[in-house]
Amino acid sequence: MDYMDSGLRYTPTSDKDWDTSVQFLPASDNKKFEKKKGKKVGAVIGVVIFAAVVALMTGLLVWHFHFRKDVRVKRMYSGSMRITNQVFDNDYENSSTQAFKMLAKQVTDQLKSIYSKSPQLSKYYVGSAVQAFSEGSVIAYYLSEFKVPAGQEASVDKAMSDVDKLADKERRTFTRPHNSLALEDVMSSALDTRLFMTSFKTHLKFTEHTRPDKTTYIQSPGFPNSPYPPQAFMEWQLRADPGYIIKLKFDTVNLEEDCKNDFVKIYDSLVAIENRVMEEMCGYYSPSEPLTFLSSGNVMLVTMATNEEKNFPGFRAEVTQIKRKTKAATCGGQLKGAKGTFSSPNFPNYYPPSTECQWTIEVPEGKGVKVTFKKFLLSEPGLEQSKDCPKDYVDFNGNKVCGEQPDGTVTDTSSTNTMTVTFNSDASYVDRGFTAEYEAVDVKDPCPQQFQCKNQKCISKALTCDGWNDCGDMSDELKCTCKSDSITCKNGLCKPMFWKCDGVDDCGDGTDEKGCGGCKSGEMMCKNNKCVSEKKRCDGRNDCGDGSDELDCGTSRVSCTDLTYKCKDNTCLSKVNPECDGTQDCEDGSDEENCDCGRSMFKTSRIVGGQNADEGEFPWQVSLHVKNSGHVCGASIISPKWLVTAAHCVQDDGRLRLSQPETWEAYLGLHAQSNVGKTVVKKNLKKIIPHPNYNAYTYDNDIALMELDSPVTYSDYIKPVCMPAPQHDFPSGHSVWITGWGATREGGYGATVLQKAQVRIINGTVCNKLMEGQITSRMLCAGVLAGGVDACQGDSGGPLSSPSGSRMFLAGVVSWGDGCARRNKPGVYTTVTKYRGWIQQHTGV
Ligand code: ARG
């Protein structure tokens, strides 16, 4: 790796010192002056001082108003241009060669002449420096510096964005020497201000030219042994041979969480041009995340900037070059047959910038083509709300789609047996793209015997007008005449009758909660269903009787009730779920004690390719194996020595002595059952404590504790979950996570890779109705009532993890269900808050 000085020398501006240098004299001087009045000598001195002060102030004011206009800010632009009448020479790769210097000089001269065509630019121009050259014929990458009067920045930005026009003008008006450069595609944009901060103490520049069949690595300085340097700006210029593109594959990205402080930015260029940014990264990515980038040409730039605080291990990436395929071979093509799949180039990794693909799909004569996008990730920062898709998009049947779309909701059917799908990515910001399926359908009846959603999805007719958004676009719930077992909401929706008066606004317009014999308008419903006047909320008196009118009142201390959080010093708080939320609420700080829990080391970004959890995403998840026979149940880590699981997992079963510690071994830090890698710690058990009141018929009190034979050392992959306070509130509708290696369908096989799914907490009364009265107050229901998402056999004992702030709390333990993932049959979990005393007594947690 070649290590050089930064190409352009930054001259830190002193302009910003201006503000602090104007100091008006302190008022106290005048007072001193007044006191001495009366004494003769004093008076003379006083007059002199007064005159001096007046003169000084006048001077300052004149300076202030006269020169202030001249306060200038440094503005940096990066740009590139194509020189068509030069041939690339290997010497151009090295900025210390004579060839480089000579061509660079010609480029800067010509830039100066281009800028002279604009009055704004010529006035404020300071200078330019060429950063690099690359093939094609020769592309020059440069930085230009301007000193712009404060307030004028926008006009200069504007002039710079039209620099191509200026270059044209310059070309036409000059009778130029015949050895001058022929320029095309001149472009530039303001440099990310974070990249030329004067606070940087270190500038490092690395260059790397990959060769065919050679793998090299780039990494942040110090990686992996020491944190990256503070206040540093680093850049890696990557090149491939002509006819090749660069493949950059990150195996580690571990930076500070806040992109404002430390970040890595990847460009499809050799200089940091904002309209060639491919991606910006910060935080910690799981090693299982697809993080491969492809360039469009044979160059790429990686930049990294850090601030003074909190330095992390950094990043490492593999750099290889791969032969550039012809346009036709990159993506797109002819697809024939009754069904098949296709995806964006490099999926599930990032597609390259400036790519265009076209697929022509042809299904048998007489049929129509139906295309469904299973994953759809084409987002551009800042354009999340944009409808007209000006940048990256997919086009089918004249229908442009972009952004991030929920799985399976982008779909279309053609009336003929062919369909053309195109994919376009522009020069900046790439994403993971899409994967799609196509199939031949009957044009007259694309959803035989089914209901066709507005988004073309086919669903069972029985699912329409039942209160569930089965289509994903609500089209199955519109224009409904509600059946007799449904509530007709004012907004036209139908909702299942058992949701009436359950305290949750299911209609979205309150219809299902009106006239419930409940509370009149101007009244609030207490947790115990009593009604009290709204005015009594937060008035410092317990009007409900259960204290629920005095919760979350912004006041700190209140008198204790069953619903209030109790600090160690026995005072109680009005705030709901104050524990481990990062704010000290108890005077003794006890709400923020023992809070190193419930956080995974990794940034959870969007998942592509199924519901596999990311490695280390749920580091408290444990796999309980029966020795020599494999995974049986899940469990959760709550301390270095203790696990929580389900009591029904540890009941003797014929010859299997499941109640005995010797029977079991616990796998901590496990991701795939097939791979007991370095991150995994296998532990034997010392003790098993099932709940004494566990009822094997009703599954009441289905909870057990397991003591490890020795404490485990926490790591990125092994960490405890947060234990909720007894009063912790997990409200209905709250989104929680279930995880496990259990069966992926009812009666099916267990999963190899840890699975995760998001479900919602379901109101206990509603759940008890759905589950025919089998729900006790110590059980918690969660699921997706439309069916399809649930825990299943083999998940038992595992966690129901509930996010609160930036941490996950153990809301429940997987316990039982009626089959798996059936419609209107949620999963049932042991409510952990009910056992806090018992857990504390045995484990100290
Ligand atoms: N009892 C099952 C087990 O032993 C877990 C059942 C969870 N079922 C459900 N549908 N949520 O693994």
Side-chain angles (χ1 to χ4, degrees), residues 135-136 139 240-246 268 294-299 321-330 352-354:
E135 280 100 354
I139 301 174
D241 293 342
Y244 284 78
I245 59 168
I246 293 172
D268 191 36
L294 301 178
S295 62
S296 66
N298 68 335
V299 296
Q321 65 175 27
I322 52 178
K323 195 129 194 97
R324 188 200 325 236
K325 292 191 205 138
T326 59
K327 208 176 135 197
T330 309
S354 308

Side-chain angles (χ1 to χ4, degrees), residues 220-223 226-232 234 254-257 261-263 283 304-307 309-315:
S220 48
F223 184 87
S226 53
Y228 46 73
Q231 292 170 291
M234 294 147 274
N254 185 356
L255 313 180
E256 190 180 342
E257 196 59 44
N261 299 331
D262 301 345
F263 62 90
M304 177 173 178
T306 65
N307 74 347
E309 286 157 0
K310 291 206 232 159
N311 301 300
F312 286 74
F315 78 89

Side-chain angles (χ1 to χ4, degrees), residues 96-115:
S96 54
T97 61
Q98 203 52 37
F100 183 103
K101 287 181 186 152
M102 276 168 62
L103 188 57
K105 170 85 172 65
Q106 268 185 295
V107 168
T108 48
D109 285 351
Q110 217 147 328
L111 276 173
K112 187 169 178 192
S113 149
I114 291 173
Y115 296 145

